[in-house]
Amino acid sequence: MSSEDKRISFVSAREEGSISRSLIIWLNGWLNENPDVPLSIQMIDYEFMPADKPCMALSLVQSTYIVEEFIDGSYIAEYQFKIIYRTNPNSPDARLSADELLDNLGQWASGQKPYIGAGLEVREFEQATQAALFARLDGGWEDHQIFFRMTYQVDPER
């Protein structure tokens, strides 16, 4: 069987949602400790951002999928996501500062092993890209983004 014929298995929506909740809590810890984050950003939300105020959100890149399964029922899965930062920069310096803030998050997060739930163990957490402009919106608003990849192992007895 070629790799093109391999069936892709996704984790349950419950598992993916639970991990998203845990990551948001962990990432908001960085947000609350970082003095460079605008005071108007109260939290990193999940898949939602208001149209006309500075904010951040976690957004899944694709569904979390199983990359390796073991005889004992355990498996390794990959969770890919991005953090989007909406801002209204009034200068090239402010635009660059938006990317620098996200890259700061990437440096803080890479290599850490956040708690993502009982029976789940983070194996690798890494920044997958440098921050960059994603979209320009009406009224001078811009979305900047940074991508992350996390692999984790699931204990079959959890």
Side-chain angles (χ1 to χ4, degrees):
M1 175 187 290
S2 78
S3 63
E4 293 174 0
D5 296 332
K6 185 177 177 185
R7 193 176 134 246
I8 296 174
S9 298
F10 299 99
V11 304
S12 70
R14 171 175 258 165
E15 181 175 311
E16 186 175 81
S18 175
I19 290 169
S20 295
R21 284 181 187 89
S22 294
L23 285 177
I24 287 171
I25 290 167
W26 177 66
L27 290 165
N28 277 311
W30 168 84
L31 183 81
N32 296 328
E33 295 171 7
N34 192 314
D36 294 329
V37 174
L39 294 175
S40 59
I41 299 177
Q42 300 295 311
M43 67 177 206
I44 296 174
D45 206 342
Y46 178 75
E47 303 253 344
F48 172 79
M49 295 189 309
D52 58 357
K53 73 178 227 178
C55 53
M56 289 186 175
L58 180 148
S59 180
L60 294 175
V61 174
Q62 61 186 15
S63 294
T64 306
Y65 60 95
I66 296 170
V67 294
E68 192 171 356
E69 295 181 84
F70 303 102
I71 293 173
D72 67 358
S74 63
Y75 58 88
I76 296 172
E78 186 165 299
Y79 179 101
Q80 297 178 25
F81 69 100
K82 64 182 177 176
I83 299 295
I84 306 166
Y85 174 26
R86 179 159 295 159
T87 184
N88 195 331
N90 55 9
S91 69
D93 183 59
R95 186 170 290 114
L96 288 165
S97 292
D99 288 339
E100 290 167 352
L101 181 64
L102 289 174
D103 284 329
N104 179 285
L105 168 60
Q107 290 169 1
W108 172 84
S110 290
Q112 290 201 50
K113 294 191 174 184
Y115 176 79
I116 57 170
L120 306 174
E121 179 187 350
V122 173
R123 294 178 61 133
E124 186 176 14
F125 193 102
E126 65 182 353
Q127 176 181 341
T129 66
Q130 294 287 78
L133 177 66
F134 168 58
R136 287 203 167 120
L137 310 167
D138 291 338
W141 291 92
E142 296 180 353
D143 287 350
H144 293 251
Q145 67 184 4
I146 188 169
F147 287 81
F148 294 91
R149 185 180 72 85
M150 178 180 72
T151 56
Y152 64 94
Q153 186 160 346
V154 177
D155 180 350
E157 297 179 21
R158 66 180 178 114

